Amino acid sequence: MKLCGRTAVVTGGTRGLGRDVALALAAEGATVVAAARETAEDPGGGVVVLKADVTAPDSMRTLMDTVHERYGGPHIVVANAGLSRPGPVARLSVEHWTEVVDTNLHGVFHTVRAALPYVSESPGGRVITMSSLLGSRAMPGAAAYCASKAAVEAFTQVTALELAADGVTVNCVAPGYIDSGMGRALIGNEELWARLAPTLAAGRPGTGDEVARAVLFLASADSSYINGQVLRVDGGVL
Ligand SMILES: NC(=O)c1ccc[n+]([C@@H]2O[C@H](COP(=O)([O-])OP(=O)(O)OC[C@H]3O[C@@H](n4cnc5c(N)ncnc54)[C@H](OP(=O)(O)O)[C@@H]3O)[C@@H](O)[C@H]2O)c1
């Protein structure tokens, strides 16, 4: 039990990769709060669900204050919530561009900023952001998504520099093609998958659990001297 006595917040922790992460942290003894806009679904594993919208700064502040009052901390924050609105730039609507950047980039900023007073209260705090293979690899039709994830990686590195003196580490996980959450639709797209599958050194998509174990490593004391890194969990897409 590596995370006993720790409180973790996972945005978008109700389903997909976020749920996999929430369950992995809870299995190591953390008190885990999954935050999402829709709270009807129970992720299981004793994970508590609270309603919050990462695009709204006040909502994130209320979330972190509530978690602090009820459970202490948070000591660990996983800024995982994200979405994709594919489309070529020439036909990408302003609404879809804004929705992606608001959620994937501004949402990470609002989440981390609201958590910082608590995460940096005592040494050992952990911030983990969620990028993607597409944060460093161009894919036609994914301009908003790629741009938002590249920015998340830069944000992670700057925040890591700023918080290092408080004993807080800030790292990023960049999953590749994963058979969980939004990755399922990609793998299910026969034409696209026929082109992507041969780029996988592992010869198969990753599982949500494989991503969750990377997040768990960065959330635990095992990663105490790792800071400002982007950990690519993609089975070797080279
Ligand atoms: N799955 C993959 O293959 C893959 C690969 C690379 C990177 N990623 C990244 O991993 C993260 C999780 O993706 P996923 O595949 O698990 O997606 P998912 O299954 O679609 O889940 C997304 C989660 O984010 C929440 N969310 C979305 N907008 C939100 C908002 N404004 N405020 C609060 N919560 C919000 C959703 O809950 P509500 O809709 O109820 O709010 C849901 O819990 C994303 O950042 C994604 O870019 C995924």
Side-chain angles (χ1 to χ4, degrees), residues 11-18 35-38 52-55 80-83 103-104 130-133 145 149 175-178 180-184:
T11 65
T14 52
R15 54 188 165 90
L17 280 187
R37 294 165 301 180
E38 177 54 60
D53 182 345
V54 298
T55 66
N80 162 81
L83 50 78
T103 307
N104 295 7
M130 196 64 86
S131 178
S132 162
L133 171 65
Y145 188 79
K149 293 300 188 181
Y177 306 119
I178 309 296
S180 176
M182 64 174 75
R184 285 217 169 122

Side-chain angles (χ1 to χ4, degrees), residues 70-132:
R70 288 191 195 168
Y71 310 108
H75 313 97
I76 300 162
V77 172
V78 185
N80 162 81
L83 50 78
S84 170
R85 296 284 178 259
V89 173
R91 292 199 298 277
L92 187 62
S93 70
V94 172
E95 286 73 21
H96 278 178
W97 171 272
T98 305
E99 189 184 3
V100 172
V101 175
D102 261 359
T103 307
N104 295 7
L105 176 58
H106 300 170
V108 170
F109 167 63
H110 299 320
T111 302
V112 173
R113 196 176 63 135
L116 283 190
Y118 304 119
V119 170
S120 54
E121 215 165 44
S122 55
R126 295 281 187 271
V127 175
I128 297 131
T129 60
M130 196 64 86
S131 178
S132 162

Side-chain angles (χ1 to χ4, degrees), residues 1-232:
M1 296 290 244
K2 292 175 190 262
L3 301 178
C4 273
R6 313 285 278 168
T7 302
V9 171
V10 183
T11 65
T14 52
R15 54 188 165 90
L17 280 187
R19 177 174 179 268
D20 298 325
V21 168
L23 292 175
L25 300 182
E28 284 297 333
T31 300
V32 182
V33 173
R37 294 165 301 180
E38 177 54 60
T39 55
E41 228 166 300
D42 176 9
V47 172
V48 176
V49 178
L50 290 181
K51 199 179 178 78
D53 182 345
V54 298
T55 66
D58 287 350
S59 172
M60 296 318 289
R61 219 170 287 126
T62 303
L63 170 73
M64 299 304 171
D65 292 347
T66 305
V67 170
H68 179 71
E69 280 159 25
R70 288 191 195 168
Y71 310 108
H75 313 97
I76 300 162
V77 172
V78 185
N80 162 81
L83 50 78
S84 170
R85 296 284 178 259
V89 173
R91 292 199 298 277
L92 187 62
S93 70
V94 172
E95 286 73 21
H96 278 178
W97 171 272
T98 305
E99 189 184 3
V100 172
V101 175
D102 261 359
T103 307
N104 295 7
L105 176 58
H106 300 170
V108 170
F109 167 63
H110 299 320
T111 302
V112 173
R113 196 176 63 135
L116 283 190
Y118 304 119
V119 170
S120 54
E121 215 165 44
S122 55
R126 295 281 187 271
V127 175
I128 297 131
T129 60
M130 196 64 86
S131 178
S132 162
L133 171 65
L134 300 189
S136 57
R137 171 175 281 235
M139 178 182 274
Y145 188 79
C146 290
S148 68
K149 293 300 188 181
V152 164
E153 294 186 11
F155 173 83
T156 302
Q157 290 169 344
V158 174
T159 316
L161 285 179
E162 292 179 359
L163 297 186
D166 296 327
V168 177
T169 66
V170 186
N171 290 290
C172 180
V173 170
Y177 306 119
I178 309 296
D179 192 10
S180 176
M182 64 174 75
R184 285 217 169 122
L186 199 87
I187 294 164
N189 180 330
E190 277 182 31
E191 194 190 321
L192 187 57
W193 190 241
R195 276 190 280 127
L196 296 177
T199 67
L200 297 177
R204 62 168 178 85
T207 66
D209 184 55
E210 286 171 316
V211 176
R213 279 186 277 130
V215 174
L216 176 60
F217 168 64
L218 293 174
S220 76
D222 291 343
S223 60
S224 53
Y225 203 56
I226 297 174
N227 200 10
Q229 300 301 309
V230 178
L231 180 53
R232 304 195 186 288

